[in-house]
């Protein structure tokens, strides 16, 4: 399992900040992550790393254990996402994911902005970032 995916599983079940950001969408997200982990675990039944991760996640999160025990199969492809950003408020996205054809262990995922105030909020965030880091951006203008 790529380290970014592994970290995402841990972040989902152990980070209060991540849980806050996901807001009302956290439980569905967590169920999907547990189901995805379950499917990957089944493909690597003889790998001690996977059983160690499973045991550690069960110990770290009773919710992970509960969702694992439910044995749900959930599709995480093409789903709406709502994030609670501390400084911007609610952000709405469509989540689209594609599996790389020649390497099924790789996935490309996109968060597509909804055409509501999410676009304006993200533009404001980018503008604020560029203002705070203007020296960095100016150094690239000559390239």
């Amino acid at each position: 399992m790529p380290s970014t995916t592994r970290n995402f599983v841990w972040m989902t079940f152990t980070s209060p900040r991540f849980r806050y950001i996901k807001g009302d969408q956290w439980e569905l997200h967590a169920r999907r992550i547990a189901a995805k982990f379950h499917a990957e675990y089944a493909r690597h039944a003889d790998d001690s790393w996977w059983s160690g991760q499973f045991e550690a996640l069960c110990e770290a999160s009773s919710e992970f254990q509960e969702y694992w025990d439910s044995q749900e199969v959930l599709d995480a492809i093409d789903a709406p996402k709502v994030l609670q950003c501390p400084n911007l408020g609610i952000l709405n996205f469509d989540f689209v994911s594609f599996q790389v054809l020649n390497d099924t262990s790789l996935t490309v995922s996109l968060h597509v902005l909804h055409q509501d105030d999410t676009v304006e909020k993200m533009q404001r965030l980018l503008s604020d970032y560029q203002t705070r880091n203007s020296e960095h951006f100016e150094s690239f203008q000559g390239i």
Side-chain angles (χ1 to χ4, degrees):
M1 176 176 253
S3 63
T4 54
T5 302
R6 180 178 63 235
N7 292 340
F8 197 58
V9 173
W10 277 96
M11 181 175 57
T12 297
F13 289 99
T14 62
S15 170
R17 181 165 176 78
F18 183 78
R19 190 179 190 129
Y20 169 81
I21 289 169
K22 293 301 284 183
D24 293 340
Q25 299 289 310
W26 182 85
E27 183 178 348
L28 180 57
H29 168 79
R31 287 181 180 279
R32 285 180 173 146
I33 293 297
K36 185 175 181 177
F37 186 91
H38 206 166
E40 285 294 318
Y41 182 86
R43 290 186 196 111
H44 301 91
D46 296 332
D47 188 331
S48 62
W49 181 88
W50 282 90
S51 55
Q53 289 296 300
F54 167 72
E55 291 170 14
L57 280 162
C58 288
E59 188 174 312
S61 171
S62 61
E63 288 160 320
F64 175 82
Q65 177 72 54
E66 175 188 339
Y67 301 156
W68 177 277
D69 290 344
S70 73
Q71 298 189 15
E72 290 180 293
V73 177
L74 299 170
D75 186 11
I77 306 300
D78 302 341
K81 299 288 181 178
V82 178
L83 300 178
Q84 173 65 41
C85 182
N87 56 331
L88 297 176
I90 300 292
L91 302 173
N92 297 296
F93 302 90
D94 284 320
F95 178 74
V96 182
S97 187
F98 306 94
Q99 205 166 33
V100 176
L101 291 177
N102 60 351
D103 187 345
T104 58
S105 68
L106 297 177
T107 303
V108 176
S109 301
L110 305 170
H111 283 79
V112 181
L113 301 173
H114 277 204
Q115 296 300 310
D116 57 11
D117 64 343
T118 299
V119 172
E120 179 184 306
K121 290 175 182 178
M122 294 302 289
Q123 287 172 334
R124 189 172 66 236
L125 182 67
L126 179 59
S127 177
D128 291 348
Y129 180 82
Q130 287 174 330
T131 299
R132 284 192 316 273
N133 297 285
S134 61
E135 292 175 11
H136 177 72
F137 283 98
E138 288 172 7
S139 66
F140 288 103
Q141 288 185 3
I143 297 176

